[in-house]
Amino acid sequence: MKKKFVIIGKRGRITIPEEIRNIVGVKYNDLLSFEVQPNNTIIIRKERYCDNCVSENSLPLSEVIKRYPEEERDKAFVALSADWSSRQGGGLSG
């Protein structure tokens, strides 16, 4: 694959090119992590998360929420919980 270039918008946002999203399987509401390396390289990973799981390839939902800035945790919890619930084949129960 050739190198892809994107420009950061004035709000600090980028669009991941469709070709890359398709290769990696990234879609709406997926969780991505960003890791800065010593040489200013950024590693972006598609993360897997679950509820009460024990897996080396998945993060517990509670751990994912803790990594969000405090002011964004409620919004992240709602979005990730709804996404997790839909992946389990059901809606949120009330």
Side-chain angles (χ1 to χ4, degrees):
M1 168 188 254
K2 289 185 178 180
K3 186 183 286 189
K4 298 286 180 178
F5 293 88
V6 296
I7 295 173
I8 296 176
K10 61 181 161 184
R11 293 188 177 179
R13 297 176 182 170
I14 63 167
T15 298
I16 300 171
E18 182 179 22
E19 182 180 5
I20 292 173
R21 291 192 320 263
N22 291 339
I23 290 169
V24 178
V26 174
K27 58 190 178 310
Y28 177 75
N29 263 348
D30 279 347
L31 178 66
L32 303 178
S33 66
F34 295 77
E35 181 181 347
V36 178
Q37 298 294 298
N39 63 355
N40 286 334
T41 298
I42 301 170
I43 297 175
I44 304 171
R45 286 189 180 91
K46 177 182 174 184
E47 297 286 355
R48 295 178 59 197
Y49 60 92
C50 59
D51 192 22
N52 298 319
C53 64
V54 180
S55 169
E56 64 184 59
N57 296 328
S58 295
L59 293 169
L61 187 55
S62 60
E63 183 62 31
V64 172
I65 299 299
K66 279 192 260 180
R67 294 181 184 196
Y68 274 84
E70 192 170 336
E71 64 275 6
E72 295 180 21
R73 286 184 188 157
D74 288 345
K75 186 169 70 171
F77 177 75
V78 170
L80 293 170
S81 294
D83 182 56
W84 179 85
S85 179
S86 70
R87 291 173 193 240
Q88 301 307 305
L92 291 175
S93 58

